[in-house]
């Protein structure tokens, strides 16, 4: 069977080649004959002119018949039959100029359709052409070029400047600068350090680097995207089938109007005029052009849609079901607080925990080590590292035996009980840190909400999604908190894969339903939905294979982009089909009453077809009203301040730590902690807030509609500065009292610290959701 398939390829290639030159060839022939006839007529030779125009008309009949037969073979209405009848009618009635105009119209429409589809599918073709086919593998002291299929997990590859990363892997020996625009749609170049993962399909925008393969060709990111792109097409979209259904009644209606016009008036010319303006071949192809344009637009945004049917169905969806972990949250635990025992500092606790955990493969250990790296903490040398599954890791340090993991169940001291209570309220996991068997601190970790999740859900509602439901296998408390923050319409916790499938099927009974997920456990629910959407950047291959839509970048905001594009493409497709046919029907009535002669009707129909196809191509352009567009310089500012937020998280938590110390024992140690916080505020936090006010907010005003859009955030800046000044004033008062707090100061200072902590957390969250999520 494979051999026969290979033999068929030259035949298909020749057929495609013929189709490629047929439309422009026919356009040239019809244009030349029309122009030659015009020259002859102007020269006073009407017989010669008629001969040229008749020749052009006859030249168009043969391909028109072929198109009619091809349409009938594919079980589509043969609307080109109207064109054939119109061409034959003009020859029979001697309306040669009208026939030549119809022939030119038909050729122009076919050429516009083919050109439009070529342009609309350009991005999908680029995706396929970009696929790597070989890799350079280091073996011993040699670097050999091998077929991509021969690359195995663990192979050391060399990626040169300008080359495409061939398979998924980890950077081995030098930092890399990568262009991920093909995968994510984002043009910014990103720097990856040694040990960081890299997805296939990225382009090396820097110097050569080594890549340790972590997947084969077939299991890599780009191969999956290419497989999905090869399935992309518009032929099965329901809106395209709708156009075919229109054609099924449009054909007999056109013939009936033409017959009645002839019967009532006794003029065959009127019947021919009706058929001339009823030639809707390019018109009915405008719907596929709009759908393919939508597919192309989605591909530019890092969204791969399997076919036009999925895009059109997504445009009709009214219910969306979302997984929590990895979809609405980042899917990667993050340190939210470090609590230290009296006499210890959070930095000491975190550094010790990271020193023990840096050799552990556990996901919580990775988060602890990453947090220590972000804070620039020096790790302690350790030895004799061991790990007990479900309990944690231990290691020998210069200070004794350190441990990180679960608590042994003994009674907790007061500070630890408060940390444990906070973890329960926040839905966080706790990694307890011990030294020589004594608790010295706790690291609280939680899977945080994606910064762009709230904006994404607001945009989804604007795109027509009426119901948002979250399904998760997580516990009820963290699930309820996420649902409350995002304003979801419903939430179901502790859901098994079977429960998710049942919930999706129940929702499908009420409305067109979309399911969004990223894990293997989401695959059955994705397949059960009307449209399944997979977070493909870090999600499982099983979920991607079960999905109809794959987001190739790790941003849930692309989900809203896909929905907006789908709604717009479907609306434009319907506009193109119905609007064009309405104009054709009006022209048919005018022709039936003798108000529109064949030649004028042909020119009018030409204009209708061109207008409809150009309207369909609007689906290629972004919808500027759907999302505020920021300038590149502003986007750089957004990225800068987002990075500063990550860097300032330890300052925010230090404010809370100082308030807790002041509550436990308002003595010299607590006062010293407050002085440390005051220094952090003056050196790091307040300059950040001032820079935002003076640099970021004015830059955002243009994109958000004016300075009023940032007024509430500016008010938060004022409150932050007010509380910081009040804390500093308390310290100056203490300095006048021999460095001791007066009793009447304690309550107000504690309130200032807790209040500042709350304002900072809310302010950071609002900026990240409303502003930083605008960065593409």
């Amino acid at each position: 069977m494979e051999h026969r398939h290979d033999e068929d390829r030259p035949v298909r290639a020749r057929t495609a080649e013929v189709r490629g030159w047929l439309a422009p060839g026919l356009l040239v022939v019809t244009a030349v004959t029309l122009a030659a006839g015009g020259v002859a007529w102007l020269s006073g030779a009407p017989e010669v002119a008629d001969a040229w125009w008749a020749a052009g008309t006859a030249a168009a009949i043969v391909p028109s018949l072929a198109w009619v037969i091809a349409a009938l073979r594919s079980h589509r209405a043969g609307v080109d039959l109207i064109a054939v009848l119109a061409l034959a009618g003009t020859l029979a009635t001697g309306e040669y100029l009208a026939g030549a105009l119809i022939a030119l119209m038909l050729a122009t429409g076919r050429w516009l359709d083919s050109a439009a589809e070529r342009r609309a599918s350009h991005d999908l073709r680029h995706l396929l052409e970009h696929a790597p086919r070989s890799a350079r593998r280091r073996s011993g002291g040699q670097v050999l070029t091998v077929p991509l299929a021969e690359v195995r997990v663990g192979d050391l590859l060399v990626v040169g400047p300008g080359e495409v990363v061939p398979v998924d892997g980890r950077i081995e020996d030098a930092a890399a600068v990568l262009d991920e625009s093909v995968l994510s749609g984002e043009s910014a170049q990103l720097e990856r350090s040694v040990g960081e993962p890299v997805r296939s399909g990225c382009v090396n925008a820097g110097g050569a680097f080594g890549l340790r393969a972590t997947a084969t060709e077939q299991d890599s990111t780009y191969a999956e995207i290419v497989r999905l792109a090869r399935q992309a097409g518009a032929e099965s979209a329901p809106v395209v089938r709708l156009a075919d259904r229109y054609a099924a009644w449009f054909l007999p209606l056109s013939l009936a109007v033409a017959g009645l016009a002839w019967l009532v008036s006794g003029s065959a010319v009127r019947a021919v005029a009706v058929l001339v303006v009823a030639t809707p071949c390019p018109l009915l192809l405008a719907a596929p052009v709009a759908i393919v344009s939508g597919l192309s637009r989605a591909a530019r945004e890092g969204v791969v849609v399997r076919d036009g049917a999925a895009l059109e169905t997504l445009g009709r969806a009214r219910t969306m079901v979302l997984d929590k972990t990895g979809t609405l949250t980042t899917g990667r635990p993050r340190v939210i607080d470090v609590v230290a025992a009296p006499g210890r500092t959070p930095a000491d606790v975190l550094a010790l925990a990271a020193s023990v955990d840096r050799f552990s493969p556990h996901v919580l250990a990775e988060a602890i080590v990453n947090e220590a790296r972000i804070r620039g903490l020096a790790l302690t040398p350790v030895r004799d590292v061991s790990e007990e599954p479900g309990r944690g890791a231990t290691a020998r340090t210069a200070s004794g035996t350190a441990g990180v993991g679960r608590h042994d169940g003994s009674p907790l001291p007061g500070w630890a009980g408060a940390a444990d209570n906070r973890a329960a309220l926040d839905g966080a996991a706790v990694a307890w840190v011990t030294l020589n068997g004594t608790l010295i601190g706790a690291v609280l970790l939680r899977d945080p909400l994606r910064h762009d999740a709230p904006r994404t859900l607001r945009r989804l509602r604007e795109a027509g999604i009426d119901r948002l439901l979250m399904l998760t296998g997580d516990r009820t408390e963290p699930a309820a908190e996420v649902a409350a923050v995002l304003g979801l319409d419903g939430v179901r916790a502790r859901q098994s894969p079977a429960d998710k499938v049942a919930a999706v099927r129940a929702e499908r009974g009420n409305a067109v339903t979309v399911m969004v997920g990223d894990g293997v456990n989401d695959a059955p629910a994705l397949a059960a939905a009307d449209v399944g959407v997979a977070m493909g950047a870090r999600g499982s291959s099983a979920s991607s294979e079960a999905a109809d839509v794959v987001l190739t970048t790790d941003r849930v905001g692309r989900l809203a982009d896909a929905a907006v594009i789908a709604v717009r493409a479907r609306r434009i497709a319907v506009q193109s089909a119905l609007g064009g046919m309405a104009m054709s029907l009006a022209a048919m009535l005018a022709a039936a009453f003798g108000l529109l002669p064949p030649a004028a009707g042909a020119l009018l129909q030409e204009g209708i077809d061109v207008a409809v196809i150009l309207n369909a191509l609007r689906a290629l352009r972004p919808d500027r009203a759907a999302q505020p567009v920021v300038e590149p310089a502003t986007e750089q500012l957004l990225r800068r301040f987002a990075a500063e937020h990550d860097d300032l998280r330890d300052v925010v938590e230090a404010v809370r730590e100082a308030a807790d110390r002041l509550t436990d024992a308002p003595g010299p140690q607590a006062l010293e902690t407050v002085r440390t916080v005051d220094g952090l505020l003056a050196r790091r936090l307040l300059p950040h807030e001032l820079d935002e006010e003076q640099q970021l907010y004015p830059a955002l005003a243009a994109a958000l509609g004016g300075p009023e859009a940032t007024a509430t955030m500016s008010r938060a800046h004022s409150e932050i500065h007010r509380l910081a000044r009040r804390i500093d004033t308390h310290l100056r008062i203490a300095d006048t009292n021999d460095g001791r707090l007066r009793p009447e100061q304690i309550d107000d200072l504690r309130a200032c610290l807790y209040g500042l902590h709350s304002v900072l957390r809310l302010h950071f969250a609002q900026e990240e959701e409303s502003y930083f999520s605008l960065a593409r």
Side-chain angles (χ1 to χ4, degrees):
M1 291 297 292
E2 185 63 30
H3 178 68
R4 174 61 180 275
H5 182 72
D6 292 339
E7 286 180 345
D8 289 342
R9 287 178 182 169
V11 177
R12 291 198 304 271
R14 287 194 298 271
T15 302
E17 184 178 353
V18 170
R19 288 177 179 172
W21 63 255
L22 181 58
L26 182 61
L27 179 61
V28 171
V29 170
T30 54
V32 168
T33 54
L34 180 63
V39 171
W41 185 82
L42 291 174
S43 301
E47 295 82 4
V48 177
D50 286 343
W52 277 110
W53 292 334
T57 304
I61 290 180
V62 175
S64 295
L65 282 172
W67 291 326
V68 168
I69 295 171
L72 293 175
R73 282 180 175 175
S74 60
H75 305 290
R76 296 177 61 184
V79 292
D80 286 308
L81 179 59
I82 299 176
V84 174
L85 293 175
L87 290 169
T90 58
L91 291 176
T93 58
E95 293 284 347
Y96 302 121
L97 175 58
L101 288 170
I102 295 171
L104 180 63
M105 176 196 71
L106 190 65
T108 304
R110 283 286 174 174
W111 177 79
L112 279 173
D113 286 326
S114 59
E117 291 198 23
R118 283 197 304 273
R119 179 187 170 192
S121 60
H122 171 268
D123 296 282
L124 297 178
R125 292 199 309 273
H126 174 69
L127 199 66
L128 299 176
E129 293 166 359
H130 185 79
R133 291 172 175 77
S134 63
R136 292 194 290 167
R137 182 169 59 192
R138 188 184 297 277
S139 180
Q142 293 184 316
V143 177
L144 304 175
T145 300
V146 298
L148 204 56
E150 295 183 9
V151 174
R152 297 290 179 264
V153 174
D155 284 354
L156 180 59
L157 309 177
V158 177
V159 183
E163 293 182 356
V164 178
V165 176
V167 295
D168 293 355
R170 290 187 178 274
I171 297 175
E172 185 72 14
D173 53 17
V177 179
L178 300 171
D179 177 0
E180 298 188 354
S181 58
V182 172
L183 300 179
S184 65
E186 299 175 11
S187 58
Q189 295 180 351
L190 304 175
E191 185 170 342
R192 302 293 186 190
S193 304
V194 174
E196 286 195 66
V198 177
R199 294 183 292 164
S200 61
C202 303
V203 177
N204 182 9
F209 65 91
L211 180 78
R212 183 72 66 179
T214 58
T216 62
E217 174 196 9
Q218 292 301 314
D219 295 332
S220 291
T221 301
Y222 202 73
E224 176 63 22
I225 295 173
V226 168
R227 280 195 294 270
L228 292 170
R230 282 189 175 131
Q231 299 175 28
E235 66 278 2
S236 60
V239 73
V240 178
R241 294 199 300 269
L242 178 65
D244 290 337
R245 289 200 297 272
Y246 290 157
W249 61 259
F250 192 81
L251 173 60
L253 176 63
S254 302
L255 296 176
V257 172
L260 284 173
W262 191 358
L263 181 63
V264 173
S265 68
S267 172
V269 174
R270 286 195 185 186
V272 171
V274 170
L275 293 176
V276 165
V277 295
T279 308
C281 312
L283 167 64
L284 295 181
L285 287 172
V289 168
I291 294 297
V292 173
S293 297
L295 294 174
S296 176
R297 182 67 210 162
R300 290 189 209 173
E301 297 295 335
V303 180
V304 177
V305 185
R306 284 189 186 273
D307 52 37
L311 187 77
E312 193 273 337
T313 306
L314 179 60
R316 295 186 295 115
R318 292 296 175 265
T319 297
M320 185 168 289
V321 181
L322 303 108
D323 177 48
K324 180 178 79 71
T325 305
T327 301
L328 295 174
T329 66
T330 64
R332 291 168 290 194
R334 177 172 164 180
V335 174
I336 61 170
D337 195 11
V338 180
V339 181
R344 303 277 181 176
T345 67
D348 293 338
V349 172
L350 183 60
L352 182 61
S355 299
V356 175
D357 268 346
R358 60 180 155 173
F359 302 106
S360 172
H362 197 280
V363 64
L364 296 183
E366 181 181 356
I368 291 172
V369 174
N370 286 340
E371 182 68 18
R373 184 181 295 116
I374 291 172
R375 298 191 185 187
L377 303 179
L379 303 188
T380 304
V382 297
R383 55 190 175 87
D384 300 333
V385 179
S386 63
E387 184 168 3
E388 181 181 350
R391 300 298 304 174
T394 58
R396 296 285 297 276
T397 70
S399 302
T401 302
V404 182
R406 295 179 60 183
H407 183 54
D408 59 9
S410 60
L412 294 172
W415 67 268
D420 192 47
N421 181 64
R422 182 184 170 191
L425 293 173
D426 290 344
V430 184
W432 298 100
V433 184
T434 62
L435 184 62
N436 296 321
T438 302
L439 280 175
I440 65 167
V443 181
L444 277 62
L445 305 100
R446 185 174 60 185
D447 183 13
L449 197 67
R450 290 180 183 268
H451 294 161
D452 55 344
R455 175 181 289 275
T456 297
L457 298 192
R458 289 195 298 270
R459 292 181 63 205
L460 286 171
R461 290 195 187 276
E462 292 171 1
I465 300 297
D466 299 326
R467 176 169 166 79
L468 291 166
L469 175 69
M470 184 176 74
L471 304 179
T472 177
D474 202 354
R475 294 172 294 114
T476 302
E477 292 78 8
E481 181 175 348
V482 169
V485 170
L486 294 178
L488 299 177
D489 299 308
V491 57
R492 300 182 187 179
R494 300 188 182 278
Q495 296 284 291
S496 67
D499 294 332
K500 291 183 178 182
V501 170
V504 168
R505 286 176 176 168
E507 294 297 328
R508 283 188 66 186
N510 300 319
V512 176
T513 300
V514 178
M515 171 68 194
V516 188
D518 75 318
V520 173
N521 63 328
D522 296 322
L526 294 177
D530 292 298
V531 179
V533 180
M535 302 288 293
R538 293 189 302 107
S540 72
S541 59
S543 63
S544 296
E545 290 171 3
D548 303 293
V549 180
V550 178
L551 311 184
T552 64
T553 181
D554 191 28
R555 292 183 58 125
V556 74
R558 293 291 185 260
L559 176 62
D561 292 337
V564 170
I565 289 169
V567 170
R568 187 164 182 264
R570 184 176 185 274
R571 183 176 65 247
I572 291 173
V574 172
Q575 285 175 354
S576 299
L578 295 182
M581 295 186 94
M583 288 187 286
S584 290
L585 286 171
M588 286 167 57
L589 292 175
F593 284 101
L595 302 176
L596 195 63
L603 288 174
L604 177 62
Q605 186 61 47
E606 174 85 0
I608 292 174
D609 293 336
V610 171
V612 168
I613 291 172
L614 292 178
N615 179 67
L617 283 173
R618 288 193 302 117
L620 275 174
R621 300 200 308 266
D623 187 358
R624 297 296 180 185
Q627 172 92 330
V629 178
V630 297
E631 298 295 328
T634 305
E635 191 165 349
Q636 289 298 322
L637 285 175
L638 290 170
R639 296 184 189 279
R640 167 196 157 188
F641 286 109
E644 289 184 11
H645 269 205
D646 289 337
D647 186 54
L648 288 169
R649 280 188 293 115
D650 63 317
V651 177
V652 177
E653 295 310 320
V655 175
R656 165 87 180 235
E657 178 71 15
D660 290 343
R661 290 291 177 90
L662 194 63
T663 301
D664 293 339
Q669 287 186 341
L671 183 61
E672 190 59 34
T673 304
V674 176
R675 290 187 189 279
T676 300
V677 167
D678 185 56
L680 291 173
L681 294 176
R683 292 192 308 273
R684 296 173 58 189
L685 184 82
L686 296 182
H688 164 83
E689 302 295 336
L690 187 61
D691 285 348
E692 282 187 333
E693 188 68 34
Q694 296 179 347
Q695 300 176 35
L696 179 61
Y697 287 9
L700 282 172
L704 299 179
E708 282 300 314
T710 59
T712 54
M713 296 298 183
S714 295
R715 180 64 183 86
H717 282 168
S718 300
E719 182 66 12
I720 291 168
H721 280 272
R722 185 189 74 82
L723 290 171
R725 283 195 303 270
R726 197 174 182 92
I727 292 168
D728 184 67
T729 300
H730 274 294
L731 292 175
R732 284 190 279 107
I733 293 173
D735 289 339
T736 64
N737 190 40
D738 298 328
R740 293 177 298 174
L741 288 171
R742 296 175 180 177
E744 60 270 21
Q745 287 184 263
I746 294 175
D747 287 344
D748 188 79
L749 179 56
R750 183 191 301 116
C752 287
L753 290 166
Y754 279 128
L756 179 59
H757 176 260
S758 298
V759 171
L760 285 173
R761 287 193 62 183
L762 178 60
H763 181 63
F764 274 31
Q766 288 176 326
E767 285 189 322
E768 289 163 1
E769 293 172 8
S770 300
Y771 301 158
F772 299 168
S773 62
L774 293 175
R776 307 289 286 178

